[in-house]
Amino acid sequence: MDFNDTPDEAAYRQQVRDWLDANAPKRHVGADPEGGDSMAASKAWQAKKAAAGYACITWPKEWGGQGGNPIQTVIFSQEEAKHPIPPNPFQIGLGMCVPTVMTFADADTKTRFVGPAIKGEEIWCQLFSEPSGGSDVAGARTRAVRADDGSGDWLITGQKVWTTGAQFSDFGIVICRTNPDAPKHKGLTMFWVDMHDPGIEVKPIHQMSGGSGFNEVFFTDVRVKDSQRLGAVDDGWKVSLVTLMNERLAVGGASGAGWSQFMEVARNLPGLDGAPALKDQALREKLADWYVQAEGLKHTRNRTMTALSRGQTPGPESSIGKIISAVQMQDLANTAMEMLDQYGIIDDPELAPIHAGFQSSVMFAPGLRIAGGTDEILKNIIAERVLGLPGDIRVDKDVAFKDMPTGR
């Protein structure tokens, strides 16, 4: 594992720093991507990055990228994080949806969508999860059937849930059931849809944080052309795997208040006996655990960076990052709230420690343990694909989807 930049990487890092110093925003804008000022700032920053080739560095130059390598993307992200950049409502589109379009769509579709997406002119969402399926993407019940007018079009009817950013998205990719006579993994088809279609209804889900980042999305006879299909009919599981792989890389690390911020607050907060809370032995043991976990995650990411710098592709071990960091975030935030006692209910960033970072983590962490695959899904991936353990027994593997219990 090499912790240092190569000469070429160091030169690229300096190039990025110089560009960011000259072009990055100088002050923070509101964190709500739905806010008018926030969205305008996000689109302006995205357009500026795209014009300089920094929006999607690894994409080919003809699509607006630099034709660069993954380690250059890592370097840019590291340096960009040092600046007060606006929220990024384009992450799902550019990290998951548009790469799927680029892989499976025809040339006209790619030409139509890639440019506006990379410039921040259009936003995409990912329509996978359903009320009856959870993390079982292959359990999708939203159906797509051929229109009976001979046009070759499809009609989509059903419901998706927990769709991030659907309320401000222009387009989305949706996985549908097209063959109920086949086993659940073999009767799916992927399409792209226009989120402004009158047959699509988006209902934001009110969260305990006061925000509405997730949505329910209802489809009622939404007509899509066969040219909006991504991949072959009934082969949508293969298409969705491309999206899911990118999703787990995109949400592989949690952000939020960490062990060092916790320790700083504990050092200055009186405990039960009047001494600093940091003197409490049980608390110190937790801090030691969090520190060890954080170091393990850091070096796991360094392994990934080393692989990227050598032109290698990281494998399913990327699932480790999210499963550890999300659980740690929840544990750390809950402990912090208990340590703050009655003052933990104060979530005003002007009054609460570290600008209410612990309060934000308490409300965000449970959702992070679901996003990108639940803890149980990720443990299966690690067990089967990293450790090589036998796969789970699946009694429904060869059962037609229509014959499966409706409660699944």
Side-chain angles (χ1 to χ4, degrees):
M1 196 186 305
D2 189 350
F3 296 95
N4 300 309
D5 287 343
T6 66
D8 287 344
E9 290 165 0
Y12 187 80
R13 187 181 297 276
Q14 188 58 55
Q15 171 191 320
V16 166
R17 284 175 177 168
D18 292 342
W19 186 85
L20 287 168
D21 287 343
N23 293 278
K26 305 303 180 187
R27 65 179 182 87
H28 279 287
V29 180
D32 181 4
E34 295 183 69
D37 292 343
S38 176
M39 182 62 78
S42 296
K43 289 192 172 186
W45 178 233
Q46 184 68 21
K48 185 174 287 189
K49 288 196 296 183
Y54 288 121
C56 294
I57 292 168
T58 60
W59 289 15
K61 292 182 179 180
E62 59 265 31
W63 296 117
Q66 292 182 351
N69 57 57
I71 195 65
Q72 290 176 329
T73 299
V74 172
I75 289 171
F76 185 86
S77 297
Q78 290 174 339
E79 298 301 322
E80 184 186 33
K82 300 174 183 178
H83 295 265
I85 57 174
N88 181 11
F90 315 103
Q91 181 179 12
I92 290 175
L94 297 179
M96 309 171 204
C97 303
V98 179
T100 303
V101 171
M102 293 171 71
T103 302
F104 294 99
D106 57 41
D108 289 343
T109 301
K110 288 186 280 191
T111 300
R112 161 63 184 84
F113 288 121
V114 175
I118 199 172
K119 296 173 186 175
E121 297 169 357
E122 295 172 345
I123 300 176
W124 287 68
C125 63
Q126 175 185 314
L127 299 143
F128 278 20
S129 296
E130 297 191 7
S132 64
S135 289
D136 182 13
V137 175
R141 293 183 177 277
T142 294
R143 67 182 186 273
V145 298
R146 293 279 191 181
D148 58 9
D149 57 5
S151 64
D153 293 350
W154 298 82
L155 299 176
I156 300 176
T157 301
Q159 179 187 358
K160 300 293 181 176
V161 74
W162 308 121
T163 305
T164 302
Q167 71 271 49
F168 52 74
S169 290
D170 301 294
F171 298 95
I173 56 173
V174 57
I175 190 75
C176 301
R177 177 71 49 192
T178 48
N179 186 0
D181 295 319
K184 66 179 184 179
H185 287 82
K186 298 181 180 180
L188 300 167
T189 305
M190 183 89 79
F191 300 89
W192 65 262
V193 294
D194 184 343
M195 293 300 293
H196 303 292
D197 189 290
I200 298 177
E201 181 182 11
V202 178
K203 292 185 177 181
I205 298 172
H206 185 75
Q207 299 163 235
M208 61 181 175
S209 64
S212 296
F214 306 112
N215 302 268
E216 294 179 289
V217 182
F218 297 88
F219 295 80
T220 304
D221 290 333
V222 176
R223 181 179 285 263
V224 298
K225 296 184 179 299
D226 191 54
S227 59
Q228 292 177 236
R229 176 168 44 85
L230 300 173
V233 174
D234 295 341
D235 200 24
W237 179 246
K238 174 183 175 182
V239 182
S240 69
L241 287 178
V242 173
T243 310
L244 292 171
M245 180 182 68
N246 288 323
E247 178 183 30
R248 283 161 189 157
L249 285 171
V251 298
S255 59
W259 68 267
S260 59
Q261 292 96 329
F262 184 102
M263 186 167 69
E264 187 61 33
V265 172
R267 180 181 288 119
N268 299 300
L269 186 73
L272 293 176
D273 57 0
L278 190 58
K279 296 291 186 180
D280 183 272
Q281 188 59 41
L283 205 58
R284 294 169 73 90
E285 289 177 3
K286 277 186 167 290
L287 268 168
D289 288 341
W290 295 332
Y291 170 78
V292 170
Q293 290 173 350
E295 288 296 293
L297 287 171
K298 181 178 75 174
H299 294 309
T300 298
R301 286 192 291 269
N302 286 337
R303 279 172 46 192
T304 299
M305 290 176 61
T306 300
L308 290 172
S309 68
R310 294 172 178 168
Q312 301 167 355
T313 301
E317 67 274 5
S318 59
S319 297
I320 296 171
K322 190 182 84 74
I323 196 171
I324 297 297
S325 59
V327 172
Q328 184 194 79
M329 176 191 283
Q330 189 167 28
D331 184 31
L332 189 150
N334 287 336
T335 304
M337 298 294 281
E338 292 177 359
M339 180 179 69
L340 292 169
D341 200 31
Q342 69 267 33
Y343 298 105
I345 65 173
I346 301 174
D347 63 355
D348 186 336
E350 299 298 324
L351 300 174
I354 63 167
H355 306 292
F358 296 129
Q359 286 81 355
S360 296
S361 293
V362 161
M363 292 184 282
F364 180 67
L368 186 64
R369 294 184 65 177
I370 298 173
T374 62
D375 292 356
E376 293 76 14
I377 292 289
L378 297 181
K379 286 178 180 178
N380 274 353
I381 291 173
I382 294 167
E384 296 174 17
R385 299 178 58 193
V386 178
L387 302 178
L389 298 177
D392 275 350
I393 296 174
R394 284 182 46 218
V395 297
D396 61 358
K397 185 175 182 179
D398 298 315
V399 177
F401 187 78
K402 66 179 183 180
D403 296 328
M404 291 174 56
T406 57
R408 290 180 65 89

